[in-house]
Amino acid sequence: MIHYLWKISGAKAQKSDAVLREDFCRGNLVSDRAMTGGNRMKIRTRLAIAFVTITVVPIVLIFVAAFGLVNYQEHLFQKTYGLSEQIDLLSGNQTQVFNRLTQGIQEEIREAVGKNTDLFESIFKEILARATKCGFVDSSNIYIDSTHIKASANKKKYTKVEVDIQAKHYQEKLEKEINEDRLKHGKSPLCEVKNEEVKKKEKIESNTDKDSGMFFKNEKEKCFAYLAHTACDNNNFILDFHITSGNIHDSVAFSDLYQKIKNNSKQHTTAIAIDAGYITPYICKTLLDDGIIPAIPYKRPMTKKGFFKKYEYVYDEYYDCYICPNNKILKYSTTNRDGYREYKSNPSDCKSCEHLNICTNSKNKQKLVTRHIWQNYLEEADHLRHKPYVKKVYSKRKETIERVFADAKEKHGMRYTKLRGLSKIEMEVSLIFSCMNLKKLANWMWKDTSNNLRLTPIFSILSLKIFIKKKIAI
């Protein structure tokens, strides 16, 4: 009897379910009351299980995996670096984590600021050496430029003083070739300059910061500033820098920066990209003699408006003379102390020339054209700038060295300085560039998938902490 009733109830339930499905397919609305209690419970239970399986279980697994990885890294930190303090890598405030890890080092660095040590330069070199060891530095092409740092000095408070004109550091080499060139043309060698004959120039000196120099941004705007002459590689790693006052020209500071790069670089450099301020015969000669291609831009002729351009006077290398636009010859006259050969025209030819007004304004009606003894190197560099490879290298300046200056000023406060004195500015720039290289090194180490375990940026900070401790102890 019971078995019979069970079958009847089951048949009725099946029938009711069939009717409900038929009504649903016809578009009739089905209320919750029309469904059996057992079916509703089954559907709700299945939905709850599915929801927990899809959402809650993966989140729990992720937290367990992250917690295990952090514990493993903390254990690895303590084992590798011998740290005894507890490290909270999951803290949301990264500045607090960094300050807590480097609190002792920061105090020691503040004490070292008052001392004239090479600590900051050592930090910069150590970070760069680690980036080079990891294979992140690519110095096959180098990009050099300078940017100004506004000094903490009032531009209206200054005095004008007379200073001696410093001789060029390559003056001995230049004078040697000048005398050889003069002997070749039948001239006597130049005599030595006496101390009494040293030329002087007027210099604007700040009353507040003596080491800064007057920097002219344009014809109307000027300020006391420092210049950071900087070099970077293809990957925007800063290779080296040289700090000078704001009134030092880029071409003058190039030699010191280039010598630093040459001594520290282990990779062969194919080309160096420089702007128009570095286009001088000496720089082009230095780079070409070392087998490096100077990637330079076009430089407009620096002549008076309405007069003949210098390229309109054709140089005849065989006869060593210039030919003017009126087909007259300008013969060699002498080689001066600055290394320029002087070519002068015949005044009798110029007096009757119809182009005299757009050729020269000299009182004796004589045209003078100069040519440096290293002009061939300058012309070779200008010829190479048309090559596709050189054009490609120079076009990357806006992505490399200009980006370095933009990040340093916008993100690291290098637009102006509150410190005074050249030595303190060098320390400040050293730390800024060290931070920029360290940040790039940490990011690249994190993105590097060649290792089985990705290293967090804290690794670099902790290892650098140990390095600084050793340097201060020395």
Side-chain angles (χ1 to χ4, degrees):
M1 186 67 181
I2 297 173
H3 183 65
Y4 178 74
L5 292 174
W6 178 263
K7 285 184 177 181
I8 292 174
S9 64
K12 289 182 178 179
Q14 290 178 1
K15 184 178 179 179
S16 62
D17 290 340
V19 173
L20 288 173
R21 283 195 296 270
E22 185 177 358
D23 292 341
F24 182 78
C25 293
R26 289 177 182 177
N28 299 331
L29 296 175
V30 181
S31 63
D32 291 337
R33 295 179 180 178
M35 298 179 64
T36 60
N39 288 337
R40 285 202 304 270
M41 291 300 295
K42 289 180 180 179
I43 292 172
R44 290 176 180 175
T45 304
R46 289 172 183 173
L47 288 175
I49 294 173
F51 177 77
V52 171
T53 306
I54 294 173
T55 59
V56 178
V57 173
I59 293 174
V60 172
L61 292 176
I62 291 172
F63 271 101
V64 171
F67 185 74
L69 180 60
V70 170
N71 287 338
Y72 173 74
Q73 287 186 343
E74 289 183 0
H75 175 71
L76 195 60
F77 290 157
Q78 295 177 2
K79 182 180 178 181
T80 305
Y81 301 104
L83 297 176
S84 59
E85 64 264 24
Q86 184 68 22
I87 303 172
D88 185 12
L89 297 177
L90 295 178
S91 175
N93 194 338
Q94 298 180 1
T95 305
Q96 292 181 0
V97 176
F98 178 80
N99 290 337
R100 188 163 170 268
L101 289 171
T102 60
Q103 183 177 3
I105 298 301
Q106 290 181 20
E107 294 177 358
E108 294 175 358
I109 288 177
R110 292 190 189 98
E111 294 177 359
V113 170
K115 303 176 183 178
N116 189 13
T117 63
D118 61 344
L119 172 63
F120 304 96
E121 187 178 356
S122 301
I123 295 173
F124 174 81
K125 290 182 178 179
E126 177 67 18
I127 295 172
L128 183 63
R130 298 192 182 198
T132 305
K133 186 178 180 181
C134 294
F136 298 150
V137 177
D138 179 16
S139 58
S140 58
N141 297 322
I142 297 177
Y143 306 87
I144 295 178
D145 203 356
S146 67
T147 185
H148 75 280
I149 306 171
K150 190 175 179 180
S152 177
N154 192 336
K155 64 181 179 181
K156 297 181 180 180
K157 296 182 179 180
Y158 62 86
T159 55
K160 294 183 178 181
V161 296
E162 282 192 353
V163 295
D164 296 337
I165 298 178
Q166 299 293 330
K168 301 179 179 67
H169 65 276
Y170 57 90
Q171 189 65 36
E172 294 182 3
K173 183 178 180 180
L174 179 63
E175 288 182 355
K176 182 180 179 182
E177 296 201 21
I178 288 173
N179 291 329
E180 291 177 358
D181 186 75
R182 290 176 64 88
L183 291 173
K184 190 184 297 182
H185 286 88
K187 301 285 184 178
S188 59
L190 295 173
C191 58
E192 295 184 1
V193 179
K194 298 180 181 179
N195 296 332
E196 300 176 356
E197 299 177 359
V198 175
K199 296 181 180 179
K200 294 182 178 293
K201 65 177 181 179
E202 192 177 67
K203 174 186 174 183
I204 300 175
E205 188 178 82
S206 171
N207 296 339
T208 309
D209 190 355
K210 303 289 185 181
D211 293 338
S212 63
M214 183 62 76
F215 176 77
F216 294 88
K217 296 181 180 180
N218 48 53
E219 294 181 357
K220 297 182 179 179
E221 192 174 0
K222 61 182 180 179
C223 66
F224 283 105
Y226 292 91
L227 287 177
H229 307 269
T230 313
C232 74
D233 70 337
N234 285 321
N235 298 328
N236 286 21
F237 276 97
I238 301 167
L239 302 177
D240 221 319
F241 62 93
H242 180 60
I243 307 299
T244 63
S245 57
N247 53 6
I248 302 297
H249 196 266
D250 290 347
S251 60
V252 177
F254 173 83
S255 300
D256 295 328
L257 178 60
Y258 177 70
Q259 197 61 37
K260 288 182 179 180
I261 299 171
K262 189 176 178 181
N263 296 336
N264 299 331
S265 179
K266 297 180 181 178
Q267 186 179 356
H268 174 69
T269 303
T270 305
I272 292 182
I274 50 180
D275 63 1
Y278 295 92
I279 302 178
T280 62
Y282 170 73
I283 292 177
C284 293
K285 172 181 168 57
T286 302
L287 296 179
L288 290 172
D289 287 345
D290 291 340
I292 299 174
I293 300 174
I296 61 175
Y298 169 74
K299 187 176 181 180
R300 290 177 294 178
M302 300 173 66
T303 53
K304 292 182 180 180
K305 187 177 180 180
F307 284 76
F308 286 133
K309 304 294 187 295
K310 189 175 181 179
Y311 59 78
E312 297 184 73
Y313 296 85
V314 181
Y315 178 68
D316 190 331
E317 188 175 359
Y318 183 80
Y319 290 103
D320 190 21
C321 65
Y322 272 94
I323 302 174
C324 74
N326 198 26
N327 295 323
K328 299 296 181 180
I329 297 176
L330 282 73
K331 296 182 180 180
Y332 171 83
S333 174
T334 185
T335 304
N336 59 30
R337 195 174 292 277
D338 295 327
Y340 286 92
R341 299 172 186 163
E342 297 179 357
Y343 297 85
K344 297 180 180 180
S345 63
N346 190 348
S348 59
D349 294 335
C350 294
K351 288 180 181 179
S352 59
C353 181
E354 59 182 358
H355 305 298
L356 179 63
N357 294 332
I358 58 175
C359 180
T360 181
N361 281 333
S362 62
K363 295 181 180 180
N364 57 354
K365 312 296 182 182
Q366 188 178 45
K367 176 64 179 178
L368 172 66
V369 178
T370 59
R371 179 182 177 85
H372 201 275
I373 59 175
W374 294 334
Q375 185 70 23
N376 294 334
Y377 294 95
L378 200 59
E379 293 174 352
E380 179 64 19
D382 186 68
H383 170 71
L384 291 172
R385 73 179 177 87
H386 298 285
K387 301 291 183 181
Y389 176 76
V390 178
K391 287 183 178 180
K392 183 179 178 181
V393 172
Y394 186 79
S395 65
K396 287 192 68 178
R397 285 185 70 256
K398 60 181 180 296
E399 307 166 15
T400 51
I401 190 66
E402 298 295 347
R403 178 59 186 270
V404 168
F405 292 151
D407 289 346
K409 291 190 174 185
E410 291 294 329
K411 300 179 182 179
H412 298 274
M414 210 180 79
R415 193 176 299 279
Y416 60 88
T417 179
K418 296 180 180 179
L419 303 177
R420 293 172 182 172
L422 187 62
S423 60
K424 291 184 179 180
I425 304 302
E426 289 178 349
M427 294 179 185
E428 183 182 19
V429 175
S430 298
L431 288 179
I432 291 175
F433 286 162
S434 299
C435 292
M436 293 175 66
N437 280 350
L438 179 60
K439 183 173 67 173
K440 184 175 287 291
L441 173 62
N443 289 334
W444 282 41
M445 289 175 67
W446 175 257
K447 295 177 183 179
D448 185 18
T449 58
S450 60
N451 299 327
N452 295 328
L453 175 64
R454 289 187 175 183
L455 304 177
T456 61
I458 303 295
F459 266 112
S460 299
I461 296 172
L462 294 177
S463 58
L464 183 62
K465 175 180 178 181
I466 296 173
F467 169 76
I468 296 174
K469 278 187 175 181
K470 291 181 180 178
K471 290 297 294 182
I472 294 178
I474 295 174

